[in-house]
Amino acid sequence: MARDPESQSRRLLRRLRETMAEDSAGQARLDRIVALIASSMGSEVCSIYLFRDAETLELCATEGLNPEAVHQTRMRVGEGLVGRVARRAQPVNTADAPATRGFRYMPETGEEVYSSFLGVPVQRLGETLGVLVVQSKTKREFTADEVYALEVVAMVIAEMAELGAFVGEGAALSVRHKQPAMFRGGIGQEGTAEGHVWLHEPRVMVTNPIAEDPDVELDRLRDAVETLRGSLDAMLDDAGALEKDHREVLEAYRMFAQSRSWLKRMEADVASGLSAEAAVEKEQSAARARMAAVPDPYLRERLHDLDDLSNRLLRTLTGQGKDTGAEMPKDAILVARNIGPGELLDYGRTGLRGIVLEQGSVGSHAAIVARAWAIPLIINAEGITTEALNGDHIMVDGDQGVAHLRPDDTVVTAFRDKIAMQAKAQERYAGLRDQPAEARCGSVVELHMNAGLIADLPSLGTSGAEGVGLFRTELQFLARSTVPKRGELAAIYARVLDAAGGKRVVFRTLDIGSDKVLPYMKPQDEPNPALGWRAIRVGLDKPGVMRMQLQALIRAAAGRRLTVMFPFVAQFDEYKAARTAVLDELNREERLGHILPEHVEIGAMLETPSLAFAPRQFYEMADFISIGGNDLKQFFFAADRENERVRRRYDTLNVSYLTFIEQIVERCRQTATPLSFCGEDAGRPVEAVCFAAMGLRTLSMRPASIGPVKSLIRRVNLDEARRVIDKARGSGAQSVRGAVMDWLRTLS
Ligand code: PEP
Ligand code: MG
């Protein structure tokens, strides 16, 4: 084709716009489009394949192939060259299709006579909607200009599909955003919720993908980029007093906004006939496709910046703000690509019933907040932000990690039955609130709750927790943009102690590093952050913040009991140094005339296997020890707690792990050191029973788990549980879970 690809593609786009404006049915439009493209590109064949379901592509229109094959020829993603384009979201360009690896012959289409093949993905914002193909008999590769021109056309087709231009009969031509859709992601926080979608960042709709007058569009694009640059400059000016790191983020943003190549690519898109908005979206789509393929987290972050800039530019161009005027539903389920803890806290606990994220991780800040709020959270629900519309009906099954968008009646009924059953169980648990977790053998297990926000504290009364076994103080640090002041912290800790009304609260000192990165702390470039400079290691190396926090705790406790615990202690010396820091601060506060706590306990978290083998003197000196099972398990099995693929391989009830827990219990028994377990596993009823059977008598968990755990403990005899475990251990089993479950099923 095309010696002059620019004007040719412009002409083609203009004719596409006319097709769009025609008042014809979706199928007729598609038929016209393929004919237009084939003649414009001088190729014998042009075909459009669209998805009929998540896995299957369907030939929806063709010029040149057998018309009988339309809506009959189907292929799975990855199957044949068309399937390969869809899977990789990248063009396939070959002079000899039948000889190309992966080619699959579809006899009903009559395509065997065509040699050259060019397929490009039809994609919108990183979502592939189908594949656009041109084929011809002559054996030749398509030129770079031709590939580019077809990509531009595919972009317009994607926009037209989004606007409902191809609605017709059959699944492949069904109306977009109306069908039920299921998203399978990861479990961030268990629980179920029903409500309506609230998009954290509402989608910008591009209604005019094709330029009427490219010169006007070019001016619009340049003006919008200027406005964007101006607003970033203004933000940087205002940011004068900001932390250095914050400035660096803004500066990186500005650098992108000033990138010549970014603007150049968009200008070329406009020159080839796209509107300014469509050009921005085309580059955004490309950035998203790259983002999905880039393994380096730093580069991914930068591509994310670019994505964010594109959104700002789109809002400027379309005049569609973040605030669409829509009102947030009362039963809002927040749907977002990702969200930081500060933004989440802005919505408030009462504002949201559930959260579904396209990214995120179990240990992310959002997950920690959602867990604290006890609302279901699903992570890694791929594609949901492009499919969901504000106000869509949605059901969130946090127990399975599944979100049902626009569910059909069968799903609604089944889901509501599940919610009703859970509500009944909750009533049963509420009835046990004031009862002890006393097993049939007479042993009593103390159940405490994990917390981290002031908003968690009412649960202390409603859950029946005997105290706060873990107060994660980093949440206060994560939820703001600067280091909190000592006075502020002291006031917060005092409120926590007031709310606890004399019940024990274990304050864990700042546990940052690894996945918990403070917005105002320079991220460390470490090869293995989970094994890196984190928690007490930071506290001891840079003692300023830790000492300030200890002072705040001492002042908050004034005259009351203070319980402090240090995270991630890996050797005795670290505990000694931390203990000395507390004693130093107590002396200092006394000298300054502050009232000291009435009693102080200084504990250590056992989160690394090394501490289990620490000298006896450590066990004698520590006032108490709490097993941080989330970290301990990851280090015991060398399996990243954030990496579902490896995390799931190792059962908590694995014989080696339980035996290890038993040894820690025994060491603490020898020195009469109080021991508890505060990782997530303590909140799983079967695991909790097994830990208790191994001798643990204090467990700390999220408040919602206290009822289910207590209910099961009260039904079992721990001596019997121990016999079952020992028998399974003796049998050479890898995990005792099977034996324990069989035994539990025999209970009345
Ligand atoms: C743990 O590691 O088990 C723990 C309680 O701490 P966190 O989950 O905050 O790392
Ligand atoms: Mg930990």
Side-chain angles (χ1 to χ4, degrees):
M1 95 166 201
R3 237 167 280 123
D4 176 6
E6 258 181 36
S7 63
Q8 188 158 25
S9 88
R10 261 198 227 169
R11 211 170 321 127
L12 174 56
L13 290 193
R14 194 165 339 108
R15 286 164 73 187
L16 277 184
R17 191 177 55 230
E18 286 157 18
T19 312
M20 224 165 114
E22 277 167 17
D23 185 21
S24 46
Q27 184 66 51
R29 280 207 180 106
L30 282 172
D31 294 344
R32 239 179 99 56
I33 288 174
V34 285
L36 270 175
I37 300 172
S39 83
S40 158
M41 293 197 58
S43 58
E44 285 105 342
V45 175
C46 174
S47 315
I48 292 180
Y49 298 80
L50 294 173
F51 274 101
R52 56 173 286 123
D53 57 51
E55 284 296 317
T56 324
L57 287 152
E58 180 172 302
L59 175 66
C60 286
T62 185
E63 171 74 19
L65 296 185
N66 180 7
E68 310 260 292
V70 172
H71 297 304
Q72 303 304 320
T73 293
R74 290 176 192 164
M75 68 253 332
R76 297 181 69 73
V77 180
E79 188 184 358
L81 298 185
V82 173
R84 179 163 6 138
V85 175
R87 161 152 298 161
R88 299 200 182 157
Q90 270 173 7
V92 168
N93 181 6
T94 167
D96 190 356
T100 304
R101 228 182 98 229
F103 175 80
R104 191 176 152 240
Y105 174 50
M106 301 274 187
E108 72 278 16
T109 61
E111 65 180 338
E112 66 276 19
V113 294
Y114 301 105
S115 182
S116 43
F117 173 104
L118 169 61
V120 299
V122 175
Q123 59 179 345
R124 191 178 174 277
L125 295 180
E127 180 193 15
T128 303
L129 311 181
V131 176
L132 177 62
V133 175
V134 287
Q135 290 169 277
S136 60
K137 285 184 183 152
T138 3
K139 225 180 209 181
R140 67 172 186 100
E141 267 204 17
F142 290 85
T143 64
D145 283 342
E146 285 170 317
V147 177
Y148 176 70
L150 200 64
E151 280 179 333
V152 169
V153 175
M155 152 83 200
V156 172
I157 292 176
E159 289 304 322
M160 290 167 83
E162 180 70 11
L163 295 171
F166 308 133
V167 173
E169 277 186 24
L173 300 189
S174 56
V175 191
R176 282 179 54 70
H177 308 298
K178 286 275 184 277
Q179 304 301 315
M182 189 181 98
F183 295 86
R184 198 171 279 284
I187 302 167
Q189 156 75 16
E190 286 91 353
T192 43
E194 177 176 3
H196 291 88
V197 167
W198 183 251
L199 288 167
H200 180 53
E201 292 201 306
R203 202 168 24 259
V204 173
M205 287 300 284
V206 175
T207 49
N208 59 335
I210 303 170
E212 266 179 47
D213 179 343
D215 293 333
V216 173
E217 292 303 309
L218 214 53
D219 286 345
R220 288 183 63 229
L221 177 70
R222 288 179 180 150
D223 285 352
V225 170
E226 263 323 296
T227 313
L228 177 72
R229 288 176 179 167
S231 70
L232 287 177
D233 286 346
M235 269 159 85
L236 260 166
D237 287 344
D238 291 348
L242 275 184
E243 295 277 321
K244 191 164 138 267
D245 297 336
H246 193 154
R247 275 191 74 86
E248 277 171 8
V249 170
L250 280 177
E251 267 157 13
Y253 252 53
R254 187 168 62 173
M255 209 179 68
F256 271 120
Q258 292 191 330
S259 150
R260 295 216 114 269
S261 58
W262 184 49
L263 182 59
K264 265 222 175 86
R265 280 198 304 272
M266 291 191 291
E267 285 175 347
D269 296 335
V270 169
S272 61
L274 292 183
S275 68
E277 290 83 331
V280 176
E281 226 179 65
K282 181 168 178 291
E283 291 312 313
Q284 188 177 20
S285 245
R288 284 202 182 170
R290 264 178 278 149
M291 198 144 54
V294 166
D296 177 359
Y298 177 80
L299 271 183
R300 242 199 338 255
E301 239 352 87
R302 297 289 74 80
L303 285 168
H304 204 281
D305 287 353
L306 199 59
D307 194 69
D308 199 52
L309 278 184
S310 307
N311 278 336
R312 283 168 191 249
L313 209 50
L314 279 174
R315 287 197 200 102
T316 311
L317 281 164
T318 57
Q320 298 169 27
K322 247 191 172 181
D323 178 7
T324 56
E327 213 172 286
M328 187 160 123
K330 295 246 173 318
D331 54 0
I333 306 282
L334 186 74
V335 174
R337 275 159 71 74
N338 211 345
I339 191 163
E343 290 170 304
L344 193 50
L345 289 167
D346 280 347
Y347 281 102
R349 179 182 205 143
T350 49
L352 301 176
R353 286 207 179 164
I355 306 171
V356 186
L357 299 180
E358 216 160 273
Q359 301 167 354
S361 69
V362 180
S364 73
H365 313 148
I368 294 172
V369 174
R371 214 168 290 148
W373 285 351
I375 59 175
L377 163 70
I378 294 178
I379 54 170
N380 299 335
E382 212 177 305
I384 191 158
T385 58
T386 30
E387 184 57 43
L389 295 181
N390 256 344
D392 275 348
H393 186 199
I394 184 169
M395 292 178 143
V396 180
D397 187 339
D399 301 335
Q400 306 290 332
V402 172
H404 301 278
L405 187 65
R406 306 181 286 262
D408 60 27
D409 291 348
T410 349
V411 172
V412 171
T413 316
F415 196 85
R416 289 196 179 142
D417 284 350
K418 182 170 175 171
I419 293 183
M421 263 169 58
Q422 286 187 340
K424 272 219 185 89
Q426 286 306 331
E427 266 174 42
R428 237 190 14 254
Y429 300 144
L432 291 179
R433 200 190 57 190
D434 301 318
Q435 308 286 325
E438 182 176 352
R440 293 258 160 99
C441 50
S443 298
V444 177
V445 182
E446 274 190 38
L447 303 184
H448 294 245
M449 67 174 233
N450 294 349
L453 298 168
I454 296 279
D456 299 332
L457 295 167
S459 302
L460 202 45
T462 52
S463 68
E466 292 174 59
V468 177
L470 168 67
F471 190 88
R472 289 183 162 100
T473 61
E474 59 275 8
L475 291 196
Q476 251 73 36
F477 287 74
L478 285 169
R480 52 186 81 207
S481 56
T482 51
V483 184
K485 301 225 162 37
R486 182 178 53 198
E488 274 175 80
L489 284 183
I492 291 169
Y493 299 151
R495 273 178 71 191
V496 174
L497 289 170
D498 293 345
K503 286 183 178 171
R504 183 168 181 256
V505 179
V506 181
F507 288 99
R508 174 177 77 182
T509 60
L510 197 54
D511 183 11
I512 47 157
S514 188
D515 68 303
K516 296 177 202 152
V517 180
L518 296 182
Y520 39 87
M521 215 183 118
K522 200 173 165 71
Q524 298 297 312
D525 190 13
E526 297 182 301
N528 281 306
L531 304 174
W533 196 54
R534 52 178 293 201
I536 194 171
R537 300 173 182 175
V538 181
L540 293 177
D541 292 354
K542 290 218 177 285
V545 174
M546 187 175 90
R547 288 192 181 259
M548 181 273 280
Q549 190 182 26
L550 292 174
Q551 291 154 14
L553 284 166
I554 295 168
R555 290 186 196 180
R560 299 185 270 195
R561 161 151 84 150
L562 174 62
T563 312
V564 188
M565 171 164 84
F566 289 93
F568 216 65
V569 178
Q571 55 183 4
F572 186 20
D573 275 3
E574 287 167 344
Y575 175 73
K576 274 197 274 189
R579 190 179 174 92
T580 306
V582 178
L583 300 178
D584 284 352
E585 291 313 318
L586 283 166
N587 281 335
R588 181 179 175 274
E589 292 297 297
E590 190 172 28
R591 278 200 311 280
L592 291 175
H594 293 289
I595 305 171
L596 292 189
E598 161 258 322
H599 177 70
V600 179
E601 287 170 289
I602 307 168
M605 282 186 84
L606 197 157
E607 303 189 273
T608 60
S610 62
L611 203 63
F613 303 96
R616 184 184 171 96
Q617 286 81 349
F618 160 69
Y619 285 84
E620 285 166 355
M621 185 184 282
D623 293 328
F624 65 94
I625 291 172
S626 191
I627 298 176
N630 306 336
D631 276 312
L632 185 65
K633 193 174 153 205
Q634 91 167 332
F635 297 121
F636 188 73
F637 288 111
D640 188 342
R641 64 193 261 191
E642 295 307 317
N643 181 343
E644 289 301 303
R645 187 190 254 173
V646 296
R647 187 189 67 80
R648 279 211 304 258
R649 298 170 88 93
Y650 305 102
D651 190 1
T652 303
L653 301 187
N654 175 295
V655 166
S656 314
Y657 190 57
L658 273 189
T659 306
F660 184 50
I661 300 280
E662 179 190 32
Q663 287 175 7
I664 299 168
V665 171
E666 176 54 22
R667 290 212 69 186
C668 288
R669 195 194 57 75
Q670 286 169 10
T671 47
T673 316
L675 176 68
S676 64
F677 189 110
C678 65
E680 299 297 308
D681 286 326
R684 302 195 168 95
V686 178
E687 279 81 340
V689 162
C690 293
F691 292 157
M694 301 321 282
L696 271 153
R697 285 294 171 271
T698 306
L699 302 175
S700 192
M701 61 201 71
R702 63 193 176 94
S705 296
I706 290 181
V709 167
K710 191 187 282 184
S711 162
L712 189 61
I713 289 179
R714 287 172 61 86
R715 286 178 53 214
V716 303
N717 177 322
L718 292 176
D719 299 332
E720 220 175 294
R722 180 56 183 262
R723 278 195 291 276
V724 172
I725 291 172
D726 285 347
K727 189 158 168 231
R729 286 204 283 186
S731 76
Q734 178 162 282
S735 161
V736 305
R737 187 175 298 277
V740 170
M741 292 308 288
D742 287 346
W743 165 68
L744 286 174
R745 274 190 279 272
T746 64
L747 299 181
S748 50

